């Protein structure tokens, strides 16, 4: 069929089957990859375009329906001269795009709204953008951008003034223009495609039948026998996850066979056509199954299904509890939680002579390089990872996914090979947040001063180790909360089950533990009649205090300042809530508070980052930055830090990011470490280059630099010296940083982290007592970030973390086989996330760049405790299991009433 239509104001013609989806036609046939595909099922809104001026999901719209109509995509928003629209400019200025994968859909939905009304209310925006999901931003800055859409001039900060400035992200233009290339956007037209056949069983043995007919039909059919070293995993000594299962599967969604061929052919082959004979076995689900006497082993060499356990011991807990005036106890359980990044795993690979190159979405290119090399039995230098833009990660793109299969197929076939996971595949195959069972007991004296805490946290690590050891190590250090407690016993253990591998997810188990320790703090406060904020303040860790691991907090510890900043909001909220509840009825309001601390970087492990800043003979100033920006803004923040250290405007810095051939290893984007660790490396690299320049010019430390083409002017007091860069060769400044930590001994004593972020959040909720529904009305978040390098980006991280914390508390539960799509697995929409006020506390950390720490994970950790505390305040129900779905709360309210 030939379809004639108008595309972004111009006549367009397309030929193909009329059932072809508009999204596929735009992306594959018309070269407009600005329209994104997050689910291909009408659930996420990433593909939103305008059809005759009205928003539609392009993944649902058949080309046959487009005949004679008007289609507008993100590529059409800019003016004829390429100038951004007022809305796009507003998105840039407000920091409304983080990873940017949802941005085109958001922009199109907002464009429709703004054509109807130029002064929309918040409710108008929520209504118009309600069909587009964002997993990064928490929506607040998107709402601000739409309500404030107007052309604007953004002044670039002068040399030395970048740190602390609210500059737009340096990579933001491509995001709002729809030009950002994510994993699925740059796939060469001649690439073969992989489709992975996955296990429908959580635990089974299997045999493969005759694959020859399939092999004749396709380019290749890969099995375990094709993988040179069939194991991968995060830890050097734990490579327990096969690339392709070998006769045995341990979770539903595990990869078994990879079909490689042309795109349409591999997609047309149904799983039933692949000869696999299954022998299902009874799976182990949950910690009780895994630890039951005589439970079968998920992995033969792991007795008791135990992956790892460890803890922290200090003082005498049993004695201390005997002397306590109040003791609180409870058991708290959490579920598997899906990362739900809007961009599914995607990328492509090609063999270049005796090397393999992968262009993939990732948050850890160097780790990917080493892992792929290990699987392929190649040296690391034979593998190049070129990260594409990353459409959200949150820890889920730290593990290998499609990488080894791409490498293997491209290597074997000598062809370019691509793979894009479907949404259900992404959700079934990828790692999850660890389900936890946290048993907690806290005690304090009559003044509310904590005397003892005893916490045992058991985690379901699923079928493979992934980041399980990290969670089991990190949680005991954090499980007492951000409080000074003289007697501590904490224990963390991770158990294998036949659930999906549980890995890294924003917080590494700390959010689960925080639900328990904050409930304990509330219970103690209530038992003693002390205000809940006040009790936390009395116990807050402060500079000079000794933690449960015996570490003296030498520098930044700003929890008390966070709590003091919240205090007036806390008092007003209580008055407001009391007035509302006095009216009676079935709706009740409550106020809750949650605190957290979070060690920045790896736990007691070397954690280095290296950065380079180059100044070429042609005058190009480039930050060679191996840290991947997954939306959190590290590209911008590292450029701001390097620019000020060097003494040139940030606007003059270009970026080379992530490519393992062109950058140095900056470590992974996780553990809230890039601002602190890579930021310090960037600061040192900038300073190093500055020193070289000053030496060349024989100038003093306070000299001012000015770069103009190939001329570098150095003003030192009254003297002006000029360096002709074309005569001095390339100058390269280098910097590295590895935070000072020490190993923990058998009692968990040592220095696990060089610094900690602190935060306190409060939530105001409204509960419908009849329906059991919870509406979060407002959140106020006070975060000690050391120094806000870019306050707009810091707020964006906090707001985005809060949205995910709200999902953890109230709605998100991944159930294999049941919630493997964005229709059944609910994440917060624009209507679910309330107004969020951020209070930035800057308790300077001298080890960090300009005093900065990290904020990626801290935004999420205190949110669920604050919401659950507010529910308790409203209803009297103490929540012991999340997500707090309406039927669970309704049941608990009824039980309490009877
Ligand atoms: S890709 Fe169309 S709604 Fe998700
Ligand atoms: S910015 Fe919205 S999904 Fe990442």
């Amino acid at each position: 069929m030939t379809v004639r239509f108008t595309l972004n104001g111009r006549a367009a013609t397309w030929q193909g089957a009329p059932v072809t989806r508009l999204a596929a036609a735009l992306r594959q046939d018309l070269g407009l990859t600005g329209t994104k595909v997050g689910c291909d099922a009408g659930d996420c809104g990433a593909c939103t375009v305008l059809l005759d001026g009205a928003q539609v999901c392009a993944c649902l719209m058949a080309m046959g329906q487009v005949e004679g109509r008007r289609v507008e995509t993100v590529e059409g928003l800019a003016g004829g001269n390429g100038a951004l629209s007022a809305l796009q400019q507003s998105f840039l200025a407000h920091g409304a795009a983080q990873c940017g994968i949802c941005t085109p859909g958001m922009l199109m939905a907002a464009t429709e709204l703004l054509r109807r009304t130029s002064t929309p209310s918040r409710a108008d925006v929520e209504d118009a953008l309600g069909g587009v999901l964002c997993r990064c931003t928490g929506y607040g800055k998107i709402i601000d951008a739409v309500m404030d859409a107007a052309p604007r001039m953004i002044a670039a900060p002068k040399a030395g003034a970048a740190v602390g400035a609210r500059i737009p992200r340096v990579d933001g233009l491509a995001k709002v223009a729809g030009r950002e290339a994510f994993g699925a956007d740059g796939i060469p037209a001649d690439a073969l495609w992989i489709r992975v056949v996955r296990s429908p069983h959580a635990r089974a043995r299997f045999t493969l039948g005759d694959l020859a007919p399939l092999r004749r039909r396709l380019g290749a059919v890969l099995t375990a026998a094709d993988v040179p070293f069939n194991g991968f995993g995060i830890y050097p000594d734990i490579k327990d996850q096969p690339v392709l299962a070998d006769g045995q599967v341990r979770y539903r969604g595990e990869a078994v066979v990879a079909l490689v061929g042309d795109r349409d052919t591999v997609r047309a082959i149904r799983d039933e056509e692949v000869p696999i004979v299954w022998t299902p076995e009874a799976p182990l689900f949950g910690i009780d199954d895994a630890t039951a006497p005589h439970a079968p082993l998920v992995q033969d060499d792991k007795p008791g299904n135990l992956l790892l356990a460890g803890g922290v011991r200090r003082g005498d807990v049993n004695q201390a509890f005997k002397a306590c005036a109040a003791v609180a106890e409870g058991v708290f359980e959490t579920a598997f939680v899906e990362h739900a990044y809007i961009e599914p795993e995607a990328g492509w690979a090609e063999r270049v002579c005796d090397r393999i190159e992968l262009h993939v979405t990732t948050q850890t290119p160097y780790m990917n390089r080493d892992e792929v090399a290990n699987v392929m039995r190649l040296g690391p230098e034979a593998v190049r990872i070129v990260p594409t833009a990353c459409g959200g990660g949150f820890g889920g793109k730290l593990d290998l996914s499609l990488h080894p299969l791409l490498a293997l197929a491209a290597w074997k076939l000598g062809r370019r090979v691509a793979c894009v996971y479907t949404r259900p595949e992404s959700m079934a195959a990828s790692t999850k947040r660890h389900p936890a069972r946290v048993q907690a007991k806290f005690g304090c004296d009559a003044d509310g001063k904590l005397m003892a805490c005893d916490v045992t946290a058991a985690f379901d690590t699923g079928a493979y180790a992934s980041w399980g050891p990290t969670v089991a190590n990190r949680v005991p250090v954090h499980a007492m909360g951000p409080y000074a407690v003289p007697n501590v016993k904490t224990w963390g253990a991770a158990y294998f089950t036949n659930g999906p591998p549980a890995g890294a997810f924003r917080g590494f188990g700390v959010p689960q533990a925080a639900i328990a320790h904050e409930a304990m703090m509330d219970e103690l406060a209530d038992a003693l009649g002390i205000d809940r904020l006040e009790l936390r303040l009395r116990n807050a860790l402060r500079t000079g205090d000794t933690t449960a691991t015996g570490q003296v907090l030498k520098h930044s510890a700003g929890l008390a300042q966070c709590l003091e900043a919240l205090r007036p909001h806390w008092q007003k909220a209580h008055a407001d809530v009391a007035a509302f509840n006095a009216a009676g009825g079935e709706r009740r309001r409550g106020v809750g508070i949650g605190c957290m601390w979070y060690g920045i970087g790896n736990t007691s492990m070397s954690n280095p980052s290296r950065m380079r800043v180059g100044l070429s003979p042609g005058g190009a100033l480039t930050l060679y930055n191996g840290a991947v920006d997954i939306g959190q803004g590290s590209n911008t923040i590292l450029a701001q830090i390097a620019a000020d250290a060097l003494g040139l405007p940030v606007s003059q810095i270009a970026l080379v990011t992530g490519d393992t051939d062109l950058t140095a290893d900056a470590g992974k984007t996780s553990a809230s470490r890039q601002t602190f660790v890579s930021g310090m490396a960037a600061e040192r690299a900038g300073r190093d280059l500055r020193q070289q320049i000053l030496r060349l010019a024989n100038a003093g430390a306070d000299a001012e630099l000015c770069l103009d083409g190939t001329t570098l002017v150095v003003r030192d007091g009254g003297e002006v010296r000029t360096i002709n860069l074309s005569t001095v060769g390339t100058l390269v400044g280098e910097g590295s940083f590895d935070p000072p930590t020490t190993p923990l001994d058998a009692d968990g004593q040592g220095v696990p982290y060089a610094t900690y972020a602190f935060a306190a959040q409060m939530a105001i909720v409204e509960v419908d007592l009849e329906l059991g529904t919870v509406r979060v009305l407002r959140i106020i978040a006070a975060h000690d970030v050391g120094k806000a390098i870019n306050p707009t980006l810091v707020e964006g991280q906090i707001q985005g973390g809060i949205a995910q914390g709200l999902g953890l508390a109230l709605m998100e539960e991944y159930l294999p086989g049941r919630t493997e799509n964005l229709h059944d697995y609910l994440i917060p929409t624009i209507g679910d996330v309330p107004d969020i006020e951020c209070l930035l506390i800057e308790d300077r950390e001298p080890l960090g760049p300009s005093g900065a720490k990290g904020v990626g994970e801290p935004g999420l950790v205190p949110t669920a405790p604050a919401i659950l505390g507010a529910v308790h305040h409203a209803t009297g129900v103490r929540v012991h299991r999340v997500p707090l779905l309406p039927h669970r709360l309704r049941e608990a309210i009824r039980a309490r009433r009877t």
Side-chain angles (χ1 to χ4, degrees):
M1 173 184 188
T2 299
V3 178
R4 292 181 179 78
F5 63 111
T6 305
L7 178 58
N8 293 328
R10 297 197 175 163
T13 305
W14 175 89
Q15 284 192 319
V19 293
T20 305
R21 303 294 149 157
L22 173 56
L26 287 169
R27 291 176 55 82
Q28 289 155 31
D29 305 329
L30 298 163
L32 298 184
T33 55
T35 298
K36 307 302 178 190
V37 174
C39 69
D40 222 7
D43 295 323
C44 75
C47 63
T48 300
V49 299
L50 301 186
L51 187 66
D52 291 339
Q55 57 171 299
V56 295
C57 287
C59 72
L60 297 182
M61 185 62 54
M63 283 306 287
Q65 296 171 279
V66 172
E67 172 68 31
R69 301 177 75 177
R70 200 159 38 86
V71 175
E72 293 169 83
T73 71
V74 67
E75 289 91 346
L77 289 184
N81 56 0
L84 296 180
S85 70
L87 179 64
Q88 289 169 304
Q89 291 179 48
S90 187
F91 263 58
L92 255 185
H94 282 279
Q98 287 191 15
C99 79
I101 191 85
C102 72
T103 306
M106 290 288 183
L107 286 166
M108 299 317 295
T111 297
E112 179 201 31
L113 170 68
L114 292 173
R115 283 180 188 162
R116 276 190 272 121
T117 169
S118 58
T119 54
S121 64
R122 182 181 170 111
D124 293 335
V125 178
E126 288 180 2
D127 198 35
L129 274 58
V132 189
L133 294 175
C134 176
R135 190 59 157 167
C136 299
T137 63
Y139 303 101
K141 294 201 177 289
I142 293 173
I143 293 169
D144 292 345
V146 177
M147 293 178 70
D148 187 31
R152 64 196 73 219
M153 288 289 296
I154 302 168
K158 297 197 183 91
V163 168
R166 290 180 179 268
I167 66 168
R169 54 180 71 230
V170 296
D171 49 7
L173 192 104
K175 293 177 195 289
V176 301
R179 293 200 298 267
E180 187 80 298
F182 294 88
D185 292 340
I187 291 172
D190 63 353
L192 295 175
W193 282 70
I194 292 178
R195 185 172 88 70
V196 185
V197 179
R198 298 182 177 279
S199 170
H201 304 288
R203 184 161 176 254
R205 307 267 165 182
F206 70 90
T207 54
L208 295 174
D210 182 10
L211 296 170
L214 273 177
R215 287 197 165 111
R216 281 195 291 277
R217 214 168 131 193
L218 297 167
V221 178
L222 303 178
T223 69
D226 295 297
V227 189
F229 180 79
N230 196 13
F232 66 90
I234 298 303
Y235 283 78
D237 55 337
I238 312 178
K239 302 295 178 194
D240 64 347
Q241 183 161 0
V243 174
L244 291 167
D246 192 1
Q248 181 179 11
V249 290
R250 297 182 176 86
Y251 76 100
R252 179 188 154 86
E254 182 158 0
V256 178
V257 166
L259 310 176
V260 192
D262 79 68
R263 182 182 176 126
D264 292 340
T265 308
V266 293
R267 285 190 173 180
I269 292 174
R270 288 173 293 114
D271 282 6
E272 299 73 45
E273 294 178 65
V274 181
I276 306 174
V277 180
W278 295 103
T279 309
E281 298 175 340
L284 303 181
F285 287 138
I287 295 161
D288 288 340
D289 276 6
T291 55
H294 313 300
L297 298 184
V298 176
Q299 299 206 19
D300 291 343
D301 60 344
K302 295 293 185 304
N305 288 314
L306 178 67
L307 167 61
L308 190 96
V312 171
R313 271 180 295 270
R314 190 169 183 80
D316 187 335
V317 169
N318 292 338
Q319 272 306 113
F321 274 122
K322 287 182 194 156
C324 286
V327 173
E329 286 185 73
V331 179
F332 301 86
E333 296 194 349
T334 70
F336 279 116
V337 182
E338 156 67 20
H339 299 87
Y341 26 75
I342 302 300
E343 179 206 29
E345 293 77 357
W348 61 280
E350 69 177 330
R351 182 174 180 168
V352 181
C353 301
D354 57 354
R355 299 185 80 212
I356 188 81
E357 294 189 359
L358 279 82
H359 303 252
V360 285
T361 176
T362 178
Q363 47 188 117
T364 178
Y366 276 86
M367 201 185 266
N368 286 171
R369 181 197 65 176
D370 295 351
E371 283 264 61
V372 168
N374 197 42
V375 166
M376 299 287 291
R377 283 297 185 230
L378 297 169
E381 65 288 345
V383 179
R384 179 184 186 186
I385 304 290
V386 185
T388 63
C390 179
F394 320 114
K397 289 178 183 166
L398 290 167
D399 297 65
L400 286 191
S401 55
L402 38 64
H403 317 65
L405 293 173
L406 287 173
L408 200 59
W411 188 266
K412 267 180 106 79
L413 300 175
R415 293 274 309 269
R416 292 166 166 171
V417 178
C419 185
V420 178
Y421 281 4
T422 64
R423 173 56 56 181
E425 180 178 27
S426 170
M427 295 180 74
S430 65
T431 60
K432 305 284 171 277
R433 181 183 294 287
H434 283 72
R437 179 182 296 153
V438 185
Q439 194 163 349
K441 181 176 176 186
F442 278 50
C444 64
D445 67 15
D447 293 328
K449 282 290 283 178
L450 287 171
M451 296 176 68
C453 119
D454 185 348
V455 178
T456 300
F459 293 95
D460 177 348
T461 205
Y464 297 107
S466 182
W467 293 85
T470 310
V471 169
N473 281 333
R474 183 175 275 267
V475 167
V477 175
H478 290 81
M480 70 298 302
Y483 308 114
V485 195
N487 301 285
V488 168
K489 181 155 85 71
T490 59
W491 189 251
Y495 296 96
F496 289 108
T497 67
N498 293 114
F505 189 168
R506 215 167 185 170
F508 287 112
V510 176
Q512 295 95 307
I515 288 171
H517 66 63
E518 290 307 280
M520 295 295 92
M521 295 300 281
D522 281 354
E523 299 252 316
L524 292 177
D526 291 352
L528 294 171
I530 299 173
D531 175 80
R532 290 171 286 161
L533 184 150
E534 180 60 33
L535 185 93
R536 287 166 168 87
L537 194 53
R538 286 181 195 177
N539 290 288
L541 280 167
R542 295 162 198 260
T543 306
D545 281 348
T546 301
T547 70
T549 70
Q551 178 180 2
V552 177
L553 296 177
K554 292 192 190 132
H555 308 302
S556 170
L559 178 59
Q561 296 96 304
C562 292
L563 287 164
E564 290 294 2
L566 281 188
R567 195 196 288 274
H569 301 275
W570 178 251
Q571 289 166 343
K572 179 174 184 313
H574 274 83
D576 292 347
V577 161
F580 180 88
N581 290 341
E586 284 300 296
R587 289 186 299 138
R588 287 291 164 82
R589 291 186 178 175
V591 193
I593 187 165
C595 293
M596 74 103 226
W597 66 325
Y598 196 80
I600 303 299
N602 293 356
T603 311
S604 287
M605 279 167 65
S606 176
N607 191 18
S609 174
R610 286 191 292 140
M611 291 277 149
R612 291 197 300 261
V613 185
L615 184 54
S616 76
L621 181 62
T622 307
L623 174 63
Y624 295 91
N625 162 19
V628 176
D629 191 330
I630 59 173
Q632 86 281 27
S634 59
N635 282 347
T636 308
I637 278 168
L638 296 175
Q640 287 178 268
I641 292 168
D644 277 14
L646 173 59
L648 284 169
V650 65
S651 56
Q652 291 192 307
I653 289 190
L655 279 173
V656 170
T657 304
D659 185 328
T660 55
D661 272 12
L662 303 178
T663 65
D665 187 356
K668 59 202 185 300
T669 296
S670 77
S672 302
R673 61 181 290 285
Q674 293 297 17
T675 297
F676 179 61
V677 185
S678 292
M680 200 62 214
E683 186 174 295
R684 289 177 174 174
R687 271 198 240 134
D688 183 31
L689 179 56
R690 179 176 175 83
Q691 286 306 322
Q692 294 177 42
I693 292 167
L694 296 181
R695 268 198 301 275
L696 273 176
N698 198 21
D702 296 332
E704 288 177 16
L705 309 185
C706 178
L707 177 63
D708 185 6
T710 59
T711 303
L712 187 58
V713 178
V714 183
R715 287 194 178 79
D716 186 15
E719 297 217 24
V720 179
R721 298 181 184 100
T722 301
I723 299 171
N724 182 349
L725 291 170
S726 62
T727 65
V728 295
T730 299
L731 301 174
V732 179
E734 301 202 20
S736 64
F737 181 56
D738 192 1
T741 62
T742 66
L744 298 178
D745 67 15
D747 285 333
Q749 299 298 295
V751 178
Y753 310 100
T755 191
Y756 299 81
F758 290 85
Q761 294 181 2
M762 55 173 277
I764 304 159
V765 306
E766 184 173 299
V767 179
D768 186 313
L769 300 177
E770 192 56 39
L771 300 174
T773 52
V774 178
R775 196 154 68 90
V776 184
L777 302 176
R778 189 144 193 262
I779 287 184
I780 303 161
H783 281 254
D784 166 24
V785 298
K787 168 72 185 174
I789 303 291
N790 184 324
T792 300
L793 299 184
V794 170
E795 290 161 359
Q797 281 301 289
I798 294 169
Q799 292 175 354
I802 286 171
Q804 292 184 356
L806 187 152
L808 169 69
L810 298 179
M811 58 179 70
E812 298 190 37
E813 184 165 18
Y814 175 77
L815 300 166
R818 285 170 55 192
T819 58
E820 289 171 355
N821 57 62
L822 292 173
H823 184 73
D824 296 304
Y825 186 90
L826 300 181
I827 66 172
T829 68
I830 198 169
D832 294 315
V833 183
D835 181 39
I836 297 168
E837 183 174 347
C838 296
L839 309 173
L840 302 186
I841 307 298
E842 296 184 322
D843 190 8
R844 200 171 177 280
E845 170 52 64
L847 287 173
S850 298
K853 300 194 276 191
V855 73
E857 282 145 311
L860 182 150
V861 180
T863 307
I867 291 171
L868 300 175
V871 169
H872 178 264
H873 188 227
T875 64
V877 169
R878 174 69 62 207
V879 177
H880 290 268
R881 181 177 172 196
V882 296
L884 183 57
L885 300 173
H887 71 275
R888 290 180 184 150
L889 180 55
R890 195 176 56 216
E891 228 169 76
I893 291 170
R894 286 192 179 157
R896 195 179 149 74
R897 281 176 165 176
T898 52

